[in-house]
Amino acid sequence: MPVILGIESSCDDTAAAVLVDGYVRSNIIANQEVHKHYGGVVPELAARAHLQHIIPVVDQALDKANIDKKEVNAVAYTLGPGLMGSLLVANSFAKSLAMSLEVPLIEVNHMQAHLLVHFEKSTPNPSFPFLGLTVSGGHTQLVLVTAPDQMKVIGQTLDDAIGEAFDKAGKMLGLPYPAGPYIDHYAQRGTPNIPFSIPKVPDLDFSFSGFKTNVLYFLRKQQELDKNFITDQRNNLCASIQSTLIRIVMEKLEKAVDQTGVNQIVLGGGVSANSGLRKALAKRKEWNVFIPPLTFTTDNAAMIAVAGHFKYQHNHFGKLTSQSQSRMSL
Ligand code: KG4
Ligand code: ZN
């Protein structure tokens, strides 16, 4: 009955979770409000806020799980990818804690964890192989997963990530950062009546920078005609932005299923919280779709602990000399 403490600090959420025998007992996240004032994550401020949050967050995760730190069998943490200053906080904290508790360390790849969280024992578990769709603020990837440690990227974004497309389009509409959840909220009250263009990108890759420009020029033109256009049309704009982004993803996913013959789809990453995307996927009855519970969508440490559990079972432990990796392949 291993007890694994997961720690995550790759971007702007400080998170800790306790996994007992494959079940999440606690999953604590401290969001950093400070970035709202800047319209995006400020790396230096993120690192400082992680330092302030990490001890209380870990304490709370242990308390809520009713686990004493002496009962922890391993400390799993995010090695990468992410912002270097942010990653260093979990890295040094996990190492010190593991050393003082005399338990092994487990190094976790954040992007693998977004998919592997589906193996938490109280949720439906996929089998191998499956097609992973990781959609977040930093990544947009189609991944062919044949084993927990066998992941092959078969398509990815050539420029911005889909979460960035949500956030940047939202910023143009005057929405706070991160704008994804706001677009989702207003989209539910609007009609997707604006035909933003779908980029033509070969194979299974994605591109979102053209979409962003498309929205920008459209808004500029409409505001010349009517200065209240954005406020008056906010719901329809959000619905149109969201439906275009979902179409881009769904078209590539269909292509990936055709090419690989794998129809088990596993969704992960912050944008998997999007209600429109969840509905579009749930409708595909010919696929076996795994949609994460909302608490496992945006960055969290439950996913780090679950991914760490696989490594724990194979005695695949980390080293005190391992360095954080801002870029890290799957
Ligand atoms: O996975 P995540 O928490 O952090 C990264 O690893 O990037 O993803 C954050 C991204 C942000 O771009 C945010 O706007 C987006 O996920 N997001 C959403 C929703 N909730 C979060 N995008 C669309 N609809 C949502 N409901
Ligand atoms: Zn993430």
Side-chain angles (χ1 to χ4, degrees), residues 10 110-111 114 136 269-270 297-299 303:
S10 65
H110 179 95
M111 296 313 292
H114 267 306
S136 73
T297 54
T298 47
D299 289 347
M303 68 185 202

Side-chain angles (χ1 to χ4, degrees), residues 5-26:
L5 173 68
I7 302 178
E8 148 70 29
S9 73
S10 65
C11 189
D12 60 339
D13 296 308
T14 320
V18 174
L19 188 80
V20 180
D21 202 20
Y23 291 90
V24 169
R25 278 265 194 99
S26 64

